[in-house]
Amino acid sequence: MKALFLTALSTAVLFVSSQAISAEKSARDIVEQAELNAYYSGDDGRSAARMIITDNQGRQQMRQFTILRKDQQDGGVQDMMIFFSRPADVRDTVFRVVKQVNDDDDRWLYLPDLDLVKRISAGDKRTSFVGSHFFYEDVSGRNTALDNYELISENEDSYVLKGTPKHPDNVEFSYYEVVIDKEHMLPIESTFYNDSGEAYRKMEVLKVETVQGYPTVTHSRMSDLTNGGQTEMQFRFMKYNIGLPDSIFSERSLRNPPAEWLQLRD
């Protein structure tokens, strides 16, 4: 009888464990598909972008830049460069990212006034991106391998998942909840919570458009729920599959931007 009870108990534990693994796999499948749609549409892409930064007293400043991006592999290594054009205090600043799979992304910032290429350390990836409410990691995307996921609710329009960092000492949040739109399989809202369970930071997608057949976020907002203030990000002149050469994603392009690939046209 005792052996029978232990066998039944083991079977029950195994069943519960397999259910948990299946749920995690399902949640991860959803997140990974959303990551592909949000960051890997087409083989490469170019876009003009504008950030409007509003502080907690209502004062505004603006940043304009052009993004070039090329995928070495869907869901894998990716090159990205961001070339700032306005205002004068950030003109010719360049942000470069090499997105990795099983390691921290490599990030550099070129500061033209100092003629200095500054490496962004892994510890700084969750700090302000050129004075905005977006973090460096928000721009290139957080690696889904860094978090565990749980599907906490679902309706006919969206999934709601909870992401918990595998290495909580490396981030400032305790967990986050992300809403993924089923129609486009894009993250449309992410809310970050601190150790007290209080929401302190929120990203919202304000507009999605279809560009060359790819659902594309063209307007988003990041808000500071604790201190106030927000940054809106708007995208224009988006093009995919333009044939960007590997050679432009290099340290040389930090000081000598590839002008022919930065020309924006409808």
Side-chain angles (χ1 to χ4, degrees):
M1 177 67 83
K2 182 177 180 181
L4 183 61
F5 172 76
L6 289 175
T7 300
L9 180 61
S10 298
T11 302
V13 169
L14 182 62
F15 175 70
V16 170
S17 297
S18 64
Q19 277 191 319
I21 292 170
S22 176
E24 164 64 14
K25 183 177 185 301
S26 176
R28 182 162 293 281
D29 288 344
I30 294 168
V31 168
E32 289 179 352
Q33 183 60 58
E35 180 190 36
L36 284 174
N37 291 353
Y39 292 99
Y40 289 89
S41 292
D43 294 329
D44 60 27
R46 176 181 58 212
S47 173
R50 178 173 66 172
M51 290 193 307
I52 301 171
I53 306 166
T54 307
D55 69 15
N56 56 10
Q57 297 182 44
R59 296 171 298 194
Q60 290 189 334
Q61 47 183 316
M62 183 262 293
R63 305 272 188 265
Q64 275 187 208
F65 48 90
T66 300
I67 303 172
L68 301 180
R69 182 265 303 170
K70 183 170 185 175
D71 306 334
Q72 302 302 325
Q73 178 184 3
D74 275 354
V77 176
Q78 179 188 79
D79 290 299
M80 178 186 291
M81 299 193 80
I82 296 178
F83 300 87
F84 286 83
S85 56
R86 294 182 184 177
D89 62 341
V90 296
R91 184 181 297 132
D92 298 327
T93 297
V94 185
F95 178 49
R96 180 188 175 202
V97 184
V98 179
K99 192 176 181 70
Q100 305 290 354
V101 180
N102 298 314
D103 205 349
D104 282 314
D105 296 348
D106 295 313
R107 299 176 176 89
W108 299 266
L109 192 66
Y110 174 63
L111 305 172
D113 289 346
L114 302 174
D115 191 26
L116 174 68
V117 177
K118 176 185 177 184
R119 188 178 182 91
I120 307 299
S121 71
D124 288 336
K125 66 185 179 182
R126 295 197 60 77
T127 59
S128 172
F129 177 64
V130 292
S132 75
H133 295 85
F134 286 90
F135 291 165
Y136 284 98
E137 191 174 59
D138 297 324
V139 176
S140 55
R142 180 169 173 80
N143 191 330
T144 60
L146 296 176
D147 304 317
N148 292 315
Y149 297 97
E150 174 189 357
L151 180 62
I152 57 178
S153 68
E154 176 184 356
N155 59 37
E156 64 181 34
D157 298 318
S158 62
Y159 301 103
V160 180
L161 297 101
K162 178 179 180 180
T164 306
K166 294 178 181 179
H167 304 288
D169 292 342
N170 295 342
V171 293
E172 87 291 349
F173 62 87
S174 177
Y175 67 94
Y176 61 93
E177 292 181 358
V178 56
V179 180
I180 296 175
D181 168 49
K182 285 186 176 181
E183 180 182 359
H184 303 114
M185 284 304 290
L186 285 171
I188 56 171
E189 184 177 294
S190 297
T191 306
F192 294 82
Y193 295 83
N194 60 24
D195 290 337
S196 300
E198 299 169 331
Y200 69 94
R201 192 166 180 265
K202 187 173 187 176
M203 186 284 297
E204 300 165 276
V205 167
L206 304 179
K207 189 173 184 180
V208 176
E209 298 180 54
T210 300
V211 179
Q212 294 174 235
Y214 299 103
T216 302
V217 174
T218 57
H219 191 180
S220 63
R221 177 173 59 216
M222 186 70 76
S223 302
D224 183 336
L225 303 181
T226 301
N227 302 311
Q230 63 180 37
T231 297
E232 291 193 26
M233 187 102 75
Q234 301 169 347
F235 299 93
R236 297 186 306 155
F237 306 117
M238 307 187 78
K239 284 187 177 294
Y240 295 110
N241 300 317
I242 60 176
L244 291 170
D246 290 336
S247 59
I248 69 174
F249 297 95
S250 65
E251 184 170 341
R252 182 179 183 279
S253 291
L254 297 175
R255 293 182 171 86
N256 299 284
E260 67 274 25
W261 294 104
L262 296 175
Q263 296 177 15
L264 301 169
R265 295 178 289 272
D266 284 316

